[in-house]
Amino acid sequence: MNMRISAIVIALLVIASVLFMARDRASAPEASLSPTPEPNIVVTSPRAGDLVGNPITVTGRARVFENTFNYRLLGANNEVLFEYFGTADAPDTGYFGDFAVKIPIPSGAPADLTVQVFEYSAKDGSIVNLVSVPVRVKDTTTTTFQVFFQNEQKQKVSDPQMLSCEPVFPVSRTVFKTSEVAYLALNELLSGVRSNETTQGFSSALPEHVGVNRIAISNGTASVDFSNDMSGGSCAVTARRAQLEKTLTQFPSVKRTAFSAFGQTESVLQP
């Protein structure tokens, strides 16, 4: 008899426990089934820790205001070594678009670098949607070429009255080994003179913040598309063209040059 009572009590306790647990499950909030939203900028290459070449090819997709984003290269102590903008190939605002850009590694850069892709806020100019990717240069052997600048001190030797706007003079730059030496040389030229070169009398007629959208070398012609038409006064345009042409034609594969800005040739380097 006592055993039957004990069994009934145990059964009732088990049933009560099951009912209690079921009530707790029913009252617990359901886990959200909605997927985590994808970041507005996704970098697919390089990955963190990758070994990279020079220039660094960066690919990904972005959903950004007016399809425009920025990218840059950081060195030691977050020093900005290079920065430019790109566009995503999106059908319209609010949609993702693929992108592929190149980042030249400038002279004097360390082997350990950080690639950043981001957007400047249209509201306040702050950096948003930032993606940072630490990388390391794969081949740290170097190559040296020349870039050409103006130099009044040197010009006065052969042209005391400074009558010509065309004379330009070489400065050596050394970068990590690259298969795109003309592209690297152009970016070194557009980055301007270094402080030690300024003290030696070198200066540049090229405007600041000009970028290379594209360069292609075919049948001896280097075709370069810039982000600025670099128009100006007659003397300034002559000097700019001389700097560009001398820098490019130092390479055996380049005999001629053709310049454009965002695909347009009419107003490029015109006074």
Side-chain angles (χ1 to χ4, degrees), residues 150 152 155 159 161-168 204-206 230-243 269-271:
Q150 294 177 303
E152 290 187 3
Q155 184 175 346
D159 181 16
Q161 296 183 357
M162 302 291 288
L163 298 177
S164 176
C165 303
E166 191 171 2
V168 290
S204 180
L206 294 164
M230 291 180 284
S231 59
S234 178
C235 189
V237 166
T238 299
R240 291 167 184 174
R241 185 176 290 276
Q243 286 186 243
L269 292 168
Q270 296 298 319

Side-chain angles (χ1 to χ4, degrees), residues 46 49-57 105 109-113 134-142 175-178:
D50 276 359
L51 298 176
V52 297
N54 187 18
I56 304 170
T57 298
I105 304 175
D112 292 302
L113 301 161
V135 296
R136 183 173 178 80
V137 177
K138 181 178 181 180
D139 186 352
T140 56
T141 58
T142 58
V175 300
F176 291 125
K177 189 174 180 180
T178 176

Side-chain angles (χ1 to χ4, degrees), residues 1-16:
M1 184 71 174
N2 289 336
M3 291 181 62
R4 290 181 63 186
I5 293 173
S6 297
I8 292 171
V9 171
I10 293 172
L12 291 173
L13 289 173
V14 170
I15 292 170

